[in-house]
Amino acid sequence: MAELPEYKNLIGGEYRAAASGKCLDSINPSTGEVWARIPASDRTDVEAAVKAASDAFPAWSALPAAGRAHYLRKVGDIFRQHSEELTRLELLGIGCQARKSNVPSPAGGLAFLWDRAAGLTLDAVTGRSVPLDANTLGITRREPYGVVAAIVPYNSPQGMASSKASLAIAAGNTVVLKPPEQASPAILRFGELLAEVLPPGVVNMVSGRGADVGDPLVRHPDVRKITMTGAPDTARAIQRAAADNLTSCIFELGGKSPNIVFADADLDKAAYGVTTQAIYTTNAGQACVGGSRILIQRSILAEMLKRMKAIAEQIKLGDPFDPETTMGPLISQAQFDKVTGYIEIGKREAELVFGGRYGPELVPSRPGGFWVEPTLFIAKDNTPRICQEEIFGPVAAVIPFDTEEEAIAIANDSRFGLAAGLWTTNLARVNRFIRDIRSGNVWVNTYLQTRYELPFGGIKDSGYGHDDIMEFTVEKTAVIST
């Protein structure tokens, strides 16, 4: 048996094993096999990483904005130079299909995030001046928090790590990043490359189980800002832990987003949007922003279901490296068990429209993978669990409606508020829905069109704040009298 590759933490510019010497297995979700090993870190490793970040902070924060921008562009070059390797590691770790993966490409890919952060460094130091009277001037200046803890989800590890870390260090902070235990190798290899271009301690990475690494990290008194993308219950635990130190937090959490189709919509475009981009082919539905509640006006219900089924039948499960594959596996056995449990609940609560199968027979060439086919239910109303709870898999529910008022009521009947989709040609309706839907993001006649020039965040159980460079600074006021 070939020796498994073993990845290590990045602490103070050094590539280190866990202090305990323990490791965790990394599972390839398309085969179910162990393919790599990562450090099983604990409090000792967290302490070392936070100290390294604290030690690096004075020199890094004192760099002029142009100096930090220079380093950020060098990090962007890493993605351009190592895109093939980093793409391969991400696909092995999360099973996302190659042609839909949001990992780097030779054309630039995630290098853009680091280049963008480089261009924003000046914003992070720009303050205001306010004349108070003839002899007195008030000024403000933006300053970094210090050490930032960044906690990254498994469904887009390198993208989330890059977004959080690039903005935090562009603002003058230093970072301790916790990769997802289910998909750490790509980020840890990226950390090894980072050590070649960044000063030691500016970015540190510590892998391990959630409680073993995450808990001491968010409780650490030297961590002054936390940014986490993940589940609401995890955010609540972090917020309770962070309260002791009054640590500032940013949370981008789950969703149960409505995707609303009116009879006057372009039905071909809407059917494709609600079936592919919104739920199934985006990481096999493992996306907090997925439009998994599909609200369809009753007069076009039968026609839309027919079109959606035809599109779903073209989705191909399989090897993530196969260019013909359009949907990959779920990330782990635990997620497979959760999602298939919801499918069984859905069969009792609602009517199955298509799908509902799961297991090795879906991809006979890879029987160890965590395979679930695209699944759609139709519910009588918004009360079933499959309409209220985040499933985080390729499972969606259609809810019919008649009027605008009914659609708005259903859309807002959720503890989540991350996103919403609207398909219509009625401009007045568009304005009303953008105003009335309770969510952080609304897409009209499109879905999942995110751009880093625009903020992205949620309300209610979908969190608060944005991974924006200004969120990684605090404003100081001074008054000068002559």
Side-chain angles (χ1 to χ4, degrees):
M1 180 178 174
E3 186 174 346
L4 295 173
E6 189 168 309
Y7 296 87
K8 296 182 180 179
N9 294 324
L10 174 65
I11 299 177
E14 298 178 356
Y15 213 43
R16 303 186 195 176
S20 66
K22 297 178 180 178
C23 288
L24 298 174
D25 290 337
S26 191
I27 307 296
N28 181 334
S30 67
T31 65
E33 298 172 347
V34 178
W35 72 278
R37 308 203 58 163
I38 62 171
S41 307
D42 58 23
R43 183 179 302 274
T44 302
D45 305 288
V46 171
E47 289 284 350
V50 174
K51 184 179 187 306
S54 297
D55 291 346
F57 174 68
W60 180 254
S61 60
L63 269 182
R68 293 198 296 271
H70 170 72
Y71 280 109
L72 286 156
R73 291 190 185 97
K74 290 174 72 173
V75 177
D77 287 340
I78 288 176
F79 276 109
R80 282 181 275 268
Q81 295 162 8
H82 297 270
S83 63
E84 185 176 341
E85 176 192 7
L86 294 173
T87 297
R88 175 181 168 275
L89 293 176
E90 185 110 315
L91 295 180
L92 285 170
I94 67 174
C96 178
Q97 68 279 19
R99 74 180 196 176
K100 288 290 184 181
S101 181
N102 49 1
V103 295
S105 70
L110 295 185
F112 169 74
L113 291 177
W114 296 88
D115 293 342
R116 171 196 62 137
L120 293 173
T121 52
L122 189 60
D123 291 351
V125 298
T126 301
R128 298 176 290 152
S129 63
V130 181
L132 302 182
D133 57 42
N135 300 309
T136 309
L137 178 68
I139 63 170
T140 69
R141 52 179 285 150
R142 310 293 312 191
E143 297 183 348
Y145 277 88
V147 178
V148 173
I151 300 174
V152 175
Y154 66 74
N155 58 341
S156 182
Q158 289 185 81
M160 290 292 185
S162 291
S163 179
K164 294 176 186 297
S166 65
L167 293 171
I169 69 172
N173 303 280
T174 53
V175 171
V176 178
L177 188 146
K178 181 195 175 298
E181 62 190 88
Q182 305 94 334
S184 290
I187 294 182
L188 295 177
R189 171 56 180 151
F190 176 52
E192 186 176 13
L193 296 167
L194 276 184
E196 298 176 6
V197 298
L198 287 181
V202 173
V203 174
N204 307 270
M205 298 181 180
V206 182
S207 73
R209 293 188 177 91
D212 294 342
V213 173
D215 189 65
L217 180 58
V218 300
R219 292 182 185 277
H220 201 292
D222 290 340
V223 170
R224 300 313 310 149
K225 185 81 174 185
I226 299 166
T227 172
M228 189 278 286
T229 299
D233 287 346
T234 303
R236 290 186 181 93
I238 289 173
Q239 193 162 51
R240 284 190 289 267
D244 288 342
N245 299 311
L246 296 177
T247 307
S248 175
C249 298
I250 303 169
F251 294 128
E252 196 262 281
L253 308 175
K256 198 69 182 176
S257 299
N259 214 347
I260 308 164
V261 184
F262 277 88
D264 65 342
D266 179 329
L267 297 192
D268 285 333
K269 190 175 180 181
Y272 182 80
V274 302
T275 307
T276 55
Q277 302 148 278
I279 180 67
Y280 297 130
T281 56
T282 303
N283 284 348
Q286 296 168 112
C288 54
V289 76
S292 56
R293 287 189 300 149
I294 303 170
L295 281 58
I296 300 177
Q297 198 159 30
R298 204 176 303 273
S299 61
I300 56 167
L301 179 61
E303 182 60 30
M304 276 292 293
L305 292 178
K306 184 173 104 175
R307 293 176 189 232
M308 291 170 65
K309 184 175 181 181
I311 293 168
E313 287 172 348
Q314 302 304 310
I315 294 173
K316 181 181 177 183
L317 278 71
D319 179 358
F321 291 93
D322 183 344
E324 297 301 314
T325 294
T326 54
M327 195 173 98
L330 297 179
I331 188 69
S332 65
Q333 183 68 54
Q335 191 63 19
F336 177 86
D337 293 342
K338 175 188 174 184
V339 171
T340 56
Y342 273 110
I343 289 175
E344 295 308 315
I345 290 170
K347 289 175 180 177
R348 298 191 295 270
E349 290 183 331
E351 178 186 345
L352 182 66
V353 179
F354 58 73
R357 297 184 304 151
Y358 48 85
E361 68 276 6
L362 294 179
V363 185
S365 63
R366 293 193 167 222
F370 309 118
W371 306 107
V372 176
E373 71 178 347
T375 298
L376 183 70
F377 292 97
I378 183 166
K380 292 181 179 179
D381 54 34
N382 196 44
T383 59
R385 289 180 61 187
I386 59 168
C387 299
Q388 289 291 328
E389 299 175 15
E390 185 177 42
I391 298 173
F392 219 63
V395 181
V398 165
I399 306 166
F401 71 90
D402 292 300
T403 65
E404 278 192 21
E405 293 75 17
E406 187 181 3
I408 286 286
I410 295 171
N412 290 336
D413 180 22
S414 173
R415 64 189 181 96
F416 296 104
L418 186 56
L422 176 65
W423 304 83
T424 182
T425 56
N426 184 322
L427 185 57
R429 177 183 293 140
V430 168
N431 290 328
R432 288 192 295 271
F433 271 62
I434 290 174
R435 178 195 66 200
D436 294 340
I437 288 178
R438 297 286 296 150
S439 70
N441 306 272
V442 180
W443 289 292
V444 179
N445 296 324
T446 185
Y447 203 84
L448 277 182
Q449 292 296 306
T450 58
R451 285 295 298 261
Y452 294 106
E453 297 91 338
L454 294 169
F456 181 85
I459 60 173
K460 300 192 280 187
D461 271 18
S462 293
Y464 55 81
H466 309 96
D467 279 327
D468 174 86
I469 195 164
M470 302 307 267
E471 290 263 18
F472 292 104
T473 67
V474 290
E475 192 169 30
K476 176 187 286 183
T477 298
V479 177
I480 305 167
S481 181
T482 59

